[in-house]
Amino acid sequence: VFTEQRFDEFPDLWSSAPLPATATRISDANPQSAQYAWGRSRLIDYTTTRGEKLRAILTVPDGFDARRRYPMLVYVYEKMTNGLHSYVLPASGTVVNLARFANHGYVVLQPDIRYRIGHTTASAIDCVGSAVKRVVAMGFVDAKRIGMAGHSYGGYEVNALVTHTDIFRAVESGASDSDLPSLYGGFWQTGDVQQ
């Protein structure tokens, strides 16, 4: 017995004889999800201006038509591609709900950011800017309707990008820090130092 999921597939239970047998779904815990236009996620490759090869999650809405121009939301938080197969319920919470944006006709981009020590802001600008340019060049995103969101450290990245680029028409910076050196020597609730 196991579970599997992806952006548009609830993590139901499945059963199988020893692999490579065919798996059978044994639960249907979220049947109401069939009422929503979920969208699809996939990985894309992009190259930064420094020549680094990185990846991003690109989510397109259901009924996606590459001849149309869609608004795009960029969601940032260091390395995002590990979450490619994560199922996201369209609900409210403390972070932007990517399933809701896809359901409302947005393309959603979640680029990986690779940091160079001592160049945090420049790294975020290069990685995110390069990923956005890659998707805009695909021809289905309206470059005048790109928003960005991030929470916590992602909020810091939003603050850095919005003050150093003119790519984004609207941004949301949740629970963000604007001065990373001020965190040095601070403590988490657990007592761990935030260094």
Side-chain angles (χ1 to χ4, degrees):
V1 175
F2 62 94
T3 185
E4 67 178 17
Q5 64 182 318
R6 62 177 193 234
F7 178 78
D8 60 326
E9 185 176 308
F10 186 81
D12 277 309
L13 294 174
W14 294 71
S15 69
S16 172
L19 296 176
T22 302
T24 304
R25 182 186 301 222
I26 58 174
S27 72
D28 187 13
N30 192 16
Q32 64 273 13
S33 67
Q35 301 170 37
Y36 297 94
W38 225 263
R40 300 278 186 266
S41 290
R42 65 183 173 102
L43 290 178
I44 63 165
D45 297 310
Y46 69 98
T47 304
T48 67
T49 60
R50 295 177 50 83
E52 294 177 290
K53 305 285 187 195
L54 295 175
R55 300 184 112 179
I57 299 172
L58 182 66
T59 304
V60 297
D62 261 6
F64 174 75
D65 179 353
R67 297 168 299 194
R68 285 188 50 205
R69 296 278 182 152
Y70 293 87
M72 181 167 73
L73 173 72
V74 180
Y75 187 75
V76 292
Y77 190 89
E78 196 168 0
K79 187 162 184 171
M80 301 300 294
T81 55
N82 290 339
L84 172 65
H85 298 295
S86 296
Y87 179 82
V88 180
L89 282 169
S92 61
T94 58
V95 297
V96 172
N97 187 279
L98 305 180
R100 290 184 73 183
F101 273 86
N103 180 262
H104 286 88
Y106 282 77
V107 168
V108 178
L109 177 67
Q110 300 172 73
D112 282 347
I113 301 172
R114 182 175 297 149
Y115 287 101
R116 292 180 293 125
I117 295 172
H119 301 279
T120 307
T121 298
S123 299
I125 292 165
D126 187 16
C127 294
V128 175
S130 297
V132 169
K133 286 177 188 170
R134 165 82 167 95
V135 176
V136 169
M138 293 176 171
F140 51 80
V141 167
D142 182 346
K144 294 181 181 174
R145 295 190 307 157
I146 300 174
M148 177 178 47
H151 186 82
S152 188
Y153 195 73
Y156 164 79
E157 295 163 341
V158 167
N159 295 343
L161 282 148
V162 77
T163 57
H164 289 81
T165 70
D166 59 0
I167 298 170
F168 304 99
R169 183 161 179 181
V171 300
E172 182 273 333
S173 176
S176 65
D177 295 303
S178 58
D179 180 16
L180 289 184
S182 70
L183 291 177
Y184 190 84
F187 294 91
W188 293 104
Q189 290 176 335
T190 60
D192 294 334
V193 178
Q194 296 189 76
Q195 296 174 18

